[in-house]
Amino acid sequence: NGLILWVVKSESSLHQPMYYFLSMLAVTDLGLSASTLPTMLTIYMMGVREVALDMCLAQLFFIHTFSIMESSVLLTMAFDRFVAISSPLRYGTILTNPRIARLGLAIVVRSIGLHIPAPIMLKKLPYCRKRQLSHSYCLHPDVMKLACTDTHINSAYGLFVVLSTLGVDSVLIVLSYGLILHTVLSIASKTERLKALNTCVSHICSVLLFYTPMIGLSMIHRFGKWASPCSRVLLSYLHFLTPPVLNPVVYTIKTKQIRLRILRIFQSGGASIGDIQGH
């Protein structure tokens, strides 16, 4: 993720909307990975299996905030693909740099604003003497279950945040791809149709990597009393650790401009881009 950010920043030819959104995705992946590290490192490297409440609340705030940010970025990337396919001649005038900056600011404000109340509400709850978390990092549903009082308000707020962010984002992404498919099918040439769809493959992979384990984890936490603890832990790791690992791999493989510039960084001697393309 850091390499992608460096490549996009250093190559002026990549200063385009698509790569700005890819940079946003890399930043959210870095933030999500960094948010899980404090407790995971202390558990697996130092053997410390306790965490202070304030640190736990701060961690769950950042984990959920970056998770919502990633969902929002995936939505903006779906909009980017729709504009690029449906209005290619107006692409540069629709997605201008100021507009992209405003989209980025809206993503940050939305994600932070919706999650500020969660740790404040959890802080006010009384907790039982036995406080064992299910995961190696703090999550809102997991911490909420440790309280020794009624948590229906907290649960309702958490469900509201999930539905108003991840739920709405996923519906809008599906709608965007419905419009993209409608536009692609109106293209006469089969070659052009495949070329247009090929530009969406990386984004579709990222959406599936992010939403599939997240939906499963949310359903198990709220309705899966029968589910084994191992399934919850596995889905949690898949949701929070797999996308940051695989997103940059997928985009590096599928995006020629990024791939060539990364190869140029690691090439030995003075090989030219022509040589790299030959290989």
Side-chain angles (χ1 to χ4, degrees):
N1 283 296
L3 185 59
I4 286 178
L5 286 173
W6 187 84
V7 168
V8 173
K9 181 179 182 299
S10 60
E11 293 286 343
S12 58
S13 62
L14 298 182
H15 294 176
Q16 301 174 28
M18 174 184 174
Y19 302 105
Y20 290 146
F21 290 129
L22 179 56
S23 298
M24 291 182 191
L25 184 64
V27 169
T28 57
D29 281 336
L30 285 171
L32 192 58
S33 299
S35 299
T36 62
L37 278 180
T39 50
M40 291 184 69
L41 287 178
T42 55
I43 290 172
Y44 293 114
M45 296 186 68
M46 302 170 62
V48 178
R49 309 185 71 84
E50 295 181 356
V51 58
L53 178 61
D54 290 339
M55 181 180 176
C56 187
L57 295 179
Q59 185 181 43
L60 72 85
F61 168 78
F62 284 109
I63 287 177
H64 291 297
T65 296
F66 280 110
S67 184
I68 297 301
M69 283 185 186
E70 180 147 354
S71 174
S72 303
V73 171
L74 290 173
L75 174 58
T76 58
M77 294 176 83
F79 174 69
D80 167 75
R81 291 299 85 208
F82 169 68
V83 173
I85 291 173
S86 63
S87 304
L89 298 180
R90 299 175 55 209
Y91 180 71
T93 58
I94 294 175
L95 291 174
T96 60
N97 288 347
R99 194 163 290 168
I100 293 172
R102 287 195 293 270
L103 283 172
L105 180 61
I107 289 172
V108 173
V109 171
R110 175 206 193 198
S111 304
I112 294 177
L114 283 173
H115 280 100
I116 286 177
I120 296 175
M121 294 168 68
L122 289 174
K123 177 77 171 177
K124 295 180 179 180
L125 295 177
Y127 292 94
C128 301
R129 187 167 296 178
K130 184 180 180 181
R131 308 174 183 177
Q132 185 168 354
L133 297 170
S134 305
H135 310 284
S136 54
Y137 37 76
C138 299
L139 301 177
H140 181 270
D142 205 18
V143 175
M144 183 176 59
K145 290 178 180 178
L146 304 182
C148 301
T149 185
D150 181 67
T151 59
H152 281 91
I153 295 177
N154 299 73
S155 181
Y157 181 75
L159 186 60
F160 162 74
V161 172
V162 170
L163 292 178
S164 62
T165 54
L166 301 174
V168 172
D169 291 351
S170 59
V171 170
L172 292 177
I173 289 173
V174 172
L175 178 61
S176 297
Y177 272 100
L179 296 173
I180 288 172
L181 189 60
H182 179 267
T183 303
V184 169
L185 292 177
S186 65
I187 301 174
S189 170
K190 181 179 179 181
T191 303
E192 291 299 320
R193 289 201 298 267
L194 292 175
K195 184 178 179 181
L197 289 175
N198 188 54
T199 63
C200 302
V201 172
S202 300
H203 181 254
I204 292 173
C205 291
S206 295
V207 169
L208 292 176
L209 284 171
F210 179 79
Y211 279 102
T212 303
M214 181 273 298
I215 293 173
L217 183 63
S218 297
M219 293 301 102
I220 285 178
H221 267 299
R222 284 170 173 80
F223 309 111
K225 305 297 183 183
W226 46 267
S228 68
C230 291
S231 63
R232 301 181 186 185
V233 174
L234 177 61
L235 283 173
S236 175
Y237 280 122
L238 287 175
H239 173 53
F240 291 114
L241 301 181
T242 305
V245 172
L246 294 185
N247 280 340
V249 176
V250 169
Y251 273 95
T252 299
I253 292 173
K254 292 297 297 180
T255 309
K256 182 179 179 181
Q257 292 85 344
I258 295 287
R259 185 172 68 251
L260 291 180
R261 280 154 182 80
I262 290 179
L263 286 173
R264 184 197 297 176
I265 292 173
F266 289 106
Q267 68 174 322
S268 58
S272 64
I273 285 294
D275 297 330
I276 295 174
Q277 289 174 331
H279 289 300

